[in-house]
């Protein structure tokens, strides 16, 4: 079938860049596809082209993507487009799925059995048991999650022992934990999903017959989301494609946001080195977003250095300007979001970096009966060490007889008493309903200075009960020295800011504690409206999706970008810091490019009363100069300024200009587009002469004296 006939028969419309990709069936190809460029459409159309126009056998084609749902979606779209003629003959798999097939082949041909595969639940149980065995303490859910993530990272990045020894997870010796986990699996003949990758790679390297079979079977390999593929996965793919050299990789290093899970975007940058005969193709037209969103996103991501040079563009209309919503304090963002949802029936996705950012929104939505869809949450926030500690301290204030609670945090608030004294007192205190301080005071191991310390501590707890929720938490951080403990252990202070936001919305301390239990149950068990047009999602979970309207929240230095890359001049950064910053920038870019019609980003003048400078990424997206640079420029201008008193003639000229301006003013009405020499082009929202309020195309709102601006040729009607 000729290509023209193929396109007509299957109603396939392609732009020139897409057509170049679809018709490149043979050889080694890297297709770099910007957000909203139709990459899935191209992958599916290319498969059809190979089958109907090039005569490739469906059994010789393998299409792999990053997760089961993506593979299922690709398969569905293919059969929806071309029918079921090749069902059961063409394969759509995850890379893990392919590796499982290699292992099964090895078992069958060698008459042996591989280790049993662990499910996620069993992996979690093993990790918890090993942690308890090593530390004699139970791990929090957040610690278990972090250990899992680091284990995945080590194997997928193929780290050597010396590299693993550098990894830190709390106070545990991670290398010893890694070794214990590996030994447990070996001794019990079990493996996890990452072991599948390692085992399959070894099989292919050591068994030429199995490798040759796989190479002959899958002569054409397509890889979707190549930027999210790990180092070991790229090794497997490279080995599989080494015989026939037909590999089609689709991805975009600008959208690689899973570095913590060992995504390896460097493979895209190294493509021409690994595949010297290969060709790099571009798909740069965005069909999703309005022009203002596309233009700002394109300029923003170009600040990254480790990337292919691409120029995202669109033929879509300019649409609504990207808005920068400036709030006096970040605490007002939640009531603002509530009002936005009440005033509109349109789809709105509220996107954020971390799951906990959704909690204050969920709190306010649940109280006001506002439906929402929650893309992902797990309640891990409440088990994060600092959050768990602060809530335990507050609970003890209302239950001073709870010695078990006291044992968990006493040394973290500067109470320097030996553990054996506390544990001995705990045994004596069993089933007692009096304050634990009374039992502690009776221990013979106490010294004189201990009594004063205990009295001060008890006084602090009595004082806590009288405070509102917000003040109580700040009191724990400062007066009870828990903030000092957090800094000494390197605990994440941004988590506490979310707790403060929840405290601000729930001022009564006892009700606040009850509300935290309710919220934990809500996010753990799920409570959302599947029909709601309000979506709450992390940026990671929104990847691959699109929404009519997007609101980005918590874009603050320390959150996005994270604290690990804040406060450093990019030129002075180490390579590791710069890599982290570039991934942070990619994350923000992915959030921005989810929006189709409108995008708004919160900016905050303060965070709970503490002055807050506009976040680095917000400044970069909107082209805002730093306060430091502004002051420098103002200083330069001031130093050269010469003041001269106006003459009578000058005053007369000014009056004449103002009179002429008043005559012209009637042409300026709400809705009129104007050019402002300083602020740029915008639309008049309101005029109460002489003050005019204008929505600038960049998203800012400015008010100025319209009469003065007309008379001095600062403002004109846009043509």
């Amino acid at each position: 079938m000729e290509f023209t006939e193929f396109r007509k028969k299957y109603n396939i419309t392609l732009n020139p860049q897409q057509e170049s990709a679809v018709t490149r069936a043979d050889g080694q190809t890297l297709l770099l596809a910007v957000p909203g460029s139709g990459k899935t459409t191209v992958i599916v159309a290319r498969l059809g082209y190979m089958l109907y126009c090039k005569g490739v056998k469906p059994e010789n084609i393998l299409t792999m993507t990053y997760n089961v749902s993506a593979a299922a979606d690709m398969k569905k779209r293919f059969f929806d487009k071309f029918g079921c003629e090749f069902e059961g003959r063409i394969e759509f798999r995850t890379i893990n799925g392919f590796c499982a097939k290699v292992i099964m082949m090895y078992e069958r041909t060698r008459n042996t059995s591989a280790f049993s595969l662990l499910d996620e639940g069993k992996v979690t149980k093993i990790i918890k048991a090993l942690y308890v065995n090593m530390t004699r303490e139970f791990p929090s859910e957040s610690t278990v999650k972090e250990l899992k993530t680091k284990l995945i990272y080590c194997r997928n990045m193929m780290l050597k022992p010396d590299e693993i020894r550098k990894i830190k997870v709390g106070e545990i010796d991670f290398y010893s934990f890694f070794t214990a986990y590996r030994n447990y699996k070996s001794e019990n003949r079990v493996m996890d999903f990452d072991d599948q990758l390692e085992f399959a790679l070894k099989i292919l390297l050591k068994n030429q017959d199995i490798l040759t079979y796989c190479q002959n079977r899958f002569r054409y390999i397509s890889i979707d989301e190549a930027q999210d593929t790990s180092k070991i996965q790229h090794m497997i793919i490279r080995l599989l494609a080494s015989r026939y050299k037909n590999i089609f990789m689709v991805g975009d290093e600008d959208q690689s946001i899973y570095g913590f899970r060992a995504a390896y975007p460097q493979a895209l940058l190294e493509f021409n080195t690994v595949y010297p005969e290969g060709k790099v193709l571009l798909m740069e037209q965005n069909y999703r977003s309005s022009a203002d969103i596309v233009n700002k996103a394109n300029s923003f991501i170009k600040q990254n250095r480790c990337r292919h040079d691409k120029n995202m563009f669109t033929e879509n209309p300019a649409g609504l300007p990207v808005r920068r919503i400036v709030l006096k304090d970040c605490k007002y963002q939640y009531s603002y979001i509530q009002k936005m949802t009440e005033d509109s029936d349109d789809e709105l996705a509220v996107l954020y970096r971390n799951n906990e950012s959704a909690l204050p929104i969920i709190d306010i939505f649940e109280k006001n009966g506002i439906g929402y869809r929650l893309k992902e949450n797990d309640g891990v926030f409440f088990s994060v060490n600092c959050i768990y500690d602060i809530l335990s301290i507050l609970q003890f204030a209302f239950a001073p007889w709870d010695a078990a609670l006291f044992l968990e945090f006493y040394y973290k608030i500067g109470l320097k008493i030996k553990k054996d004294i506390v544990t001995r007192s705990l045994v004596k205190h069993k089933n007692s309903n009096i304050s634990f301080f009374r039992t502690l005071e009776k221990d013979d191991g106490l010294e004189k200075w201990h009594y004063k310390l205990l009295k001060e501590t008890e006084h602090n707890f009595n004082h806590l009960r009288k405070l509102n929720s917000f003040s109580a938490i700040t009191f724990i951080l400062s007066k009870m020295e828990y903030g000092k403990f957090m800094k000494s252990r390197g605990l994440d202070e941004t988590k506490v800011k979310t707790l403060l936001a929840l405290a601000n919305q729930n001022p009564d301390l006892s009700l606040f504690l009850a509300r935290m239990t309710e919220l934990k149950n809500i996010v753990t068990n799920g409570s959302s409206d599947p029909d709601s047009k309000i979506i709450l999602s992390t940026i990671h979970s929104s990847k691959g999706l699109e929404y009519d309207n997007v609101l980005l929240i918590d874009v603050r230095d320390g959150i996005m970008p994270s604290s690990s890359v804040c406060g450093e001049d990019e030129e002075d950064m180490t390579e590791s810091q710069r890599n982290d910053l570039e991934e942070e920038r990619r994350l923000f870019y992915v959030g921005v490019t989810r929006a189709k019609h409108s995008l708004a980003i919160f900016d905050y003048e303060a965070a709970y009363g503490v002055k807050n400078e506009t976040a680095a990424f917000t400044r970069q997206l909107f082209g805002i100069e730093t306060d430091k640079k502004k002051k420098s420029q103002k200083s330069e201008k001031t130093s050269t300024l010469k003041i001269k008193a106006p003459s009578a003639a000058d005053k007369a000229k000014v009056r004449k200009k103002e009179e002429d301006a008043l005559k012209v003013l009637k042409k300026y009405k709400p809705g009129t587009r104007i050019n402002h020499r300083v602020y740029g082009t915008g639309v008049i929202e309101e005029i109460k002469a002489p003050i005019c309020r204008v929505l600038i195309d960049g998203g800012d709102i400015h008010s100025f004296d319209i009469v003065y601006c007309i008379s001095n040729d600062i403002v004109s009607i846009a043509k």
Side-chain angles (χ1 to χ4, degrees):
M1 187 186 299
E2 292 296 323
F3 181 60
T4 305
E5 182 186 351
F6 169 73
R7 285 194 310 181
K8 186 175 180 181
K9 180 176 180 179
Y10 293 104
N11 191 29
I12 295 171
T13 304
L14 304 167
N15 67 36
Q17 287 185 330
Q18 291 173 329
E19 186 173 312
S20 295
V22 167
T23 55
R24 180 148 169 101
D26 299 304
Q28 303 158 336
T29 306
L30 171 62
L31 176 62
L32 298 169
V34 305
S37 59
K39 71 177 179 64
T40 306
T41 297
V42 165
I43 294 172
V44 169
R46 180 177 175 273
L47 293 174
Y49 172 79
M50 291 165 68
L51 294 166
Y52 293 108
C53 299
K54 300 294 288 184
V56 176
K57 293 180 181 179
E59 291 83 2
N60 292 148
I61 300 174
L62 173 63
T63 300
M64 292 191 283
T65 190
Y66 65 108
N67 63 32
V68 174
S69 62
D73 179 64
M74 187 83 71
K75 182 177 181 179
K76 181 179 183 302
R77 290 184 64 169
F78 175 81
F79 289 122
D80 285 348
K81 190 72 175 175
F82 298 110
C84 298
E85 179 183 354
F86 300 113
E87 190 165 8
R89 297 177 64 192
I90 185 169
E91 294 209 24
F92 298 86
R93 289 184 176 273
T94 62
I95 298 177
N96 273 83
F98 168 76
C99 289
K101 190 167 184 174
V102 169
I103 293 169
M104 289 170 62
M105 190 185 308
Y106 176 79
E107 289 179 307
R108 188 176 64 252
T109 58
R110 302 302 188 267
N111 193 28
T112 187
S113 295
F115 289 176
S116 302
L117 185 65
L118 295 166
D119 61 31
E120 279 300 302
K122 288 181 179 177
V123 169
T124 300
K125 286 181 180 178
I126 294 167
I127 288 174
K128 286 182 177 179
L130 290 173
Y131 187 92
V132 170
N133 188 52
M134 287 182 67
T135 67
R136 304 301 176 196
E137 294 180 359
F138 288 99
S140 67
E141 292 303 312
S142 62
T143 299
V144 172
K145 186 176 181 179
E146 188 175 3
L147 286 168
K148 275 187 182 180
T149 301
K150 296 301 184 187
L151 289 170
I152 291 170
Y153 183 84
C154 289
R155 269 92 59 72
N156 276 269
M157 285 298 287
M158 307 173 76
L159 297 186
K160 297 175 182 177
D162 286 348
E163 294 172 310
I164 298 172
R165 284 189 178 94
K166 295 176 183 177
I167 292 176
K168 304 291 182 185
V169 177
E171 296 179 34
I172 193 171
D173 181 344
F174 179 74
Y175 182 75
S176 297
F177 181 86
F178 177 89
T179 304
Y181 180 64
R182 181 186 60 198
N183 292 343
Y184 176 91
K185 290 183 295 177
S186 178
E187 291 164 6
N188 291 275
R189 295 186 58 79
V190 292
M191 64 178 173
D192 59 25
F193 284 99
D194 299 303
D195 293 320
Q196 274 191 324
L197 299 172
E198 292 179 339
F199 192 24
L201 180 58
K202 287 179 182 177
I203 290 170
L204 294 173
L205 287 170
K206 294 183 178 181
N207 298 272
Q208 188 60 46
D209 59 325
I210 295 177
L211 175 61
T212 301
Y213 173 84
C214 291
Q215 290 173 331
N216 287 336
R217 170 71 192 277
F218 301 118
R219 303 184 181 199
Y220 293 86
I221 301 163
S222 298
I223 309 296
D224 186 25
E225 301 289 4
Q227 77 281 346
D228 294 330
T229 305
S230 71
K231 192 173 186 178
I232 192 171
Q233 290 171 336
H234 276 291
M235 289 286 288
I236 293 166
I237 293 163
R238 190 183 307 175
L239 194 59
L240 192 60
S242 61
R243 186 178 183 89
Y244 290 96
K245 298 182 175 17
N246 294 317
I247 181 167
F248 187 76
M249 288 171 51
V250 185
D252 178 12
E253 72 281 353
D254 289 338
Q255 297 181 73
S256 180
I257 58 174
Y258 292 105
F260 63 96
R261 286 203 317 230
Y264 192 65
Q266 292 91 325
L268 278 65
L269 301 173
E270 297 165 357
F271 180 81
N272 286 122
T273 303
V274 175
Y275 304 103
E277 299 172 5
K279 186 174 183 180
V280 178
L281 301 178
L282 301 176
M283 288 202 326
E284 299 167 295
Q285 184 170 356
N286 179 300
Y287 291 92
R288 173 189 300 157
S289 306
S290 62
D292 195 48
I293 294 170
V294 169
N295 293 338
K296 279 187 169 55
N298 185 54
S299 297
F300 174 81
I301 200 59
K302 281 179 173 290
Q303 295 173 83
N304 272 3
R305 302 176 187 181
C306 298
R307 64 186 297 272
H308 289 275
D309 186 25
K310 299 182 289 292
N311 284 290
M312 181 169 62
F313 71 94
T314 187
E315 294 178 357
N316 292 340
L320 295 170
V322 178
R323 294 174 63 205
R324 172 174 159 253
I325 303 172
V326 183
L327 301 178
K328 288 288 184 185
D329 196 293
C330 67
K331 66 185 178 183
Y332 298 126
Q333 65 181 338
Y334 310 111
S335 56
Y336 195 107
I337 293 169
Q338 178 189 349
K339 190 172 188 315
M340 286 179 75
T341 59
E342 290 173 345
D343 292 346
S344 174
D345 293 325
D346 296 334
E347 179 186 69
L348 173 67
V350 182
L351 304 184
Y352 35 82
R353 189 226 170 87
N354 301 317
N355 271 315
E356 61 262 21
S357 289
L359 292 172
I361 305 173
I362 293 170
D363 180 40
I364 206 167
F365 278 8
E366 291 279 343
K367 287 176 181 175
N368 291 278
I370 299 171
Y372 59 93
R373 280 185 278 156
L374 185 62
K375 279 286 293 175
E376 175 191 351
N377 220 308
D378 50 18
V380 166
F381 169 78
F382 296 96
S383 72
V384 171
N385 289 339
C386 57
I387 302 304
Y388 183 84
D389 286 344
I390 291 171
L391 292 178
S392 295
I393 292 167
L394 291 172
Q395 287 164 0
F396 184 79
F398 289 94
W401 55 85
D402 193 334
L405 263 182
F406 186 85
L407 182 64
E408 291 186 3
F409 64 73
Y410 75 94
Y411 60 94
K412 301 175 185 179
I413 57 173
L415 195 55
K416 298 175 182 178
I417 298 177
K418 291 180 180 179
K419 188 175 182 180
D420 60 342
I421 294 176
V422 178
T423 51
R424 189 164 58 234
S425 298
L426 190 150
V427 173
K428 295 176 183 176
H429 188 77
K430 192 175 182 180
N431 299 324
S432 175
N433 59 2
I434 64 170
S435 170
F436 185 54
F437 288 104
R438 301 290 78 77
T439 306
L440 266 176
E441 289 170 347
K442 296 175 183 177
D443 193 276
D444 296 334
L446 292 177
E447 297 181 27
K448 287 183 179 180
W449 61 273
H450 279 135
Y451 295 102
K452 182 180 179 182
L453 188 60
L454 284 172
K455 189 173 181 180
E456 288 176 356
T457 305
E458 185 175 18
H459 173 76
N460 285 338
F461 277 102
N462 291 334
H463 182 65
L464 268 183
R465 292 195 298 272
K466 301 172 186 176
L467 300 174
N468 63 42
S469 307
F470 190 94
S471 299
I473 294 171
T474 55
F475 184 82
I476 290 169
L477 294 170
S478 56
K479 298 296 183 182
M480 296 181 75
E481 299 187 3
Y482 186 75
K484 187 186 292 185
F485 171 80
M486 284 184 63
K487 287 183 180 178
S488 70
R489 300 300 175 93
L491 300 181
D492 189 353
E493 294 179 16
T494 62
K495 307 291 184 187
V496 177
K497 290 176 181 175
T498 299
L499 193 65
L500 286 169
L502 290 163
N504 190 62
Q505 292 176 184
N506 298 272
D508 184 283
L509 187 53
S510 59
L511 296 179
F512 166 73
L513 288 170
R515 185 59 175 164
M516 293 307 97
T517 302
E518 291 172 2
L519 278 176
K520 183 178 180 180
N521 291 333
I522 288 169
V523 297
T524 302
N525 301 323
S527 174
S528 60
D529 177 1
D531 298 321
S532 175
K533 291 188 175 182
I534 310 302
I535 301 101
L536 306 180
S537 174
T538 62
I539 297 174
H540 285 101
S541 293
S542 73
K543 189 160 179 288
L545 303 175
E546 57 185 38
Y547 307 100
D548 290 339
N549 309 290
V550 167
L551 175 62
L552 279 172
I553 69 167
D554 280 348
V555 182
R556 287 189 278 153
D557 290 348
I559 299 178
M560 189 162 56
S562 69
S563 56
S564 63
V565 294
C566 284
E568 292 280 344
D569 190 310
E570 195 165 344
E571 295 300 324
D572 298 330
M573 286 183 176
T574 64
E575 183 180 355
S576 175
Q577 286 175 318
R578 192 174 293 115
N579 289 340
D580 289 345
L581 174 62
E582 295 211 350
E583 173 142 340
E584 295 281 317
R585 198 173 272 132
R586 294 194 293 266
L587 181 67
F588 185 69
Y589 172 76
V590 167
V592 167
T593 53
R594 297 312 92 197
K596 292 165 65 176
H597 305 311
S598 78
L599 170 68
I601 299 169
F602 277 141
D603 191 1
Y604 318 95
E605 293 180 2
Y608 299 102
V610 180
K611 191 178 184 306
N612 192 80
E613 189 173 323
T614 296
F617 289 169
T618 304
R619 293 199 305 268
Q620 291 167 15
L621 187 75
F622 289 98
I624 302 169
E625 295 174 346
T626 62
D627 288 344
K628 186 177 179 181
K629 190 171 181 181
K630 283 180 183 176
K631 287 177 183 176
S632 173
Q633 291 176 341
K634 187 176 180 182
S635 176
E636 288 173 11
K637 289 177 182 177
T638 304
S639 64
T640 58
L641 189 64
K642 294 181 181 179
I643 301 172
K644 180 183 176 183
S647 66
D650 290 334
K651 291 178 181 178
K653 285 180 183 178
V654 169
R655 282 196 298 273
K656 179 68 167 62
K657 281 184 177 182
E658 289 179 352
E659 288 170 2
D660 292 341
L662 288 169
K663 293 176 184 176
V664 177
L665 185 60
K666 59 185 178 182
K667 296 180 181 179
Y668 290 77
K669 300 174 182 177
T672 303
R673 285 186 65 77
I674 64 167
N675 289 321
H676 192 288
R677 207 162 65 199
V678 176
Y679 302 134
T681 305
V683 177
I684 295 175
E685 285 197 333
E686 182 183 40
I687 290 184
K688 290 183 178 178
I691 302 301
C692 173
R693 190 174 77 234
V694 174
L695 174 62
I696 303 299
D697 288 352
D700 290 343
I701 295 175
H702 287 285
S703 297
F704 47 81
D705 187 325
I706 186 73
V707 176
Y708 173 84
C709 289
I710 293 172
S711 63
N712 287 277
D713 297 325
I714 295 172
V715 163
S716 61
I717 293 175
K719 295 179 180 178

